[in-house]
Amino acid sequence: AQKITQTQPGMFVQEKEAVTLDCTYDTSDQSYGLFWYKQPSSGEMIFLIYQGSYDEQNATEGRYSLNFQKARKSANLVISASQLGDSAMYFCAMREDHNNNDMRFGAGTRLTVKP
Amino acid sequence: KAGVTQTPRYLIKTRGQQVTLSCSPISGHRSVSWYQQTPGQGLQFLFEYFSETQRNKGNFPGRFSGRQFSNSRSEMNVSTLELGDSALYLCASSPLGQGRSGANVLTFGAGSRLTVL
């Protein structure tokens, strides 16, 4: 069974600095996808970045990058040049590519950006 | 392109009542998934519909049900509401069904916040 672990319930970062949000996962599948979502206080889940298990390069999307270490089963999100609007809950998620598995989410990390 | 629309956004019910939530996916998306989000349990998968068929179901009691119409709009129903059903119910749509492709991104709506008194 797939399991996602986010060990940081809350994180603080100074505006304009970089921050890393941790995510580890457990799966016996060889083919899977890893996702990060942002959830502001409004409630809507916003897709940030995707990494496939067979992708050799780390994914990047603007200020977001995913530090993918397959052997360690970790998929940490790095946010560079933090902005006040980055304050939100961040969820790591995984979906195995086979057997119609649904996307499973970690418990989330609350990021607060300080001015 | 319009996003995923969920109605109603907020509602209050009492124990024993039933509730129906609606979700309109992004045009062209055939898959709709439902999730329940609570502070204690986090995000939990309820079920997924693809082309009007339920393809996958989470570990929820039979009081939770859903359906999908031919235009891909989906509804979920909770009967005999309990206090523990108070939650944010999130709907997500995707072009393909879950499990079809690792890169198949779910696009979420803003959610329906249900309070059971």
Side-chain angles (χ1 to χ4, degrees), chain A residues 32-35 37 39 41-45 47 50 91 95-106, chain B residues 9-10 35 37 43 45 48 55-56 88 90 98-111 113:
Chain A
Y32 51 88
L34 296 157
F35 305 77
Y37 282 84
Q39 187 179 41
S41 56
S42 60
E44 184 171 355
M45 298 279 284
F47 167 71
Y50 160 81
F91 292 92
R95 183 174 61 225
E96 296 163 343
D97 287 350
H98 307 296
N99 301 321
N100 290 336
N101 281 321
D102 54 277
M103 186 180 289
R104 299 295 173 105
F105 290 80
Chain B
R9 288 293 313 279
Y10 304 91
Y35 287 81
Q37 186 178 24
L43 275 152
F45 172 74
E48 183 221 356
R55 283 163 32 92
N56 202 357
L88 179 66
L90 291 163
Q98 290 214 45
R100 294 294 180 88
S101 166
N104 189 27
V105 175
L106 298 185
T107 301
F108 284 83
R113 188 169 294 280

Side-chain angles (χ1 to χ4, degrees), chain B residues 68-103:
Chain B
Q68 186 179 34
F69 302 95
S70 58
N71 61 358
S72 293
R73 189 178 71 86
S74 177
E75 289 181 348
M76 68 161 283
N77 183 78
V78 188
S79 62
T80 320
L81 284 166
E82 301 176 0
L83 295 179
D85 297 333
S86 294
L88 179 66
Y89 290 87
L90 291 163
C91 165
S93 75
S94 62
L96 308 173
Q98 290 214 45
R100 294 294 180 88
S101 166

Side-chain angles (χ1 to χ4, degrees), chain B residues 7 16 26 28 31 35 38 58 60 78 87 94 114:
Chain B
T7 57
I26 290 174
S31 169
Y35 287 81
T38 59
F60 278 82
V78 188
S94 62
L114 171 66

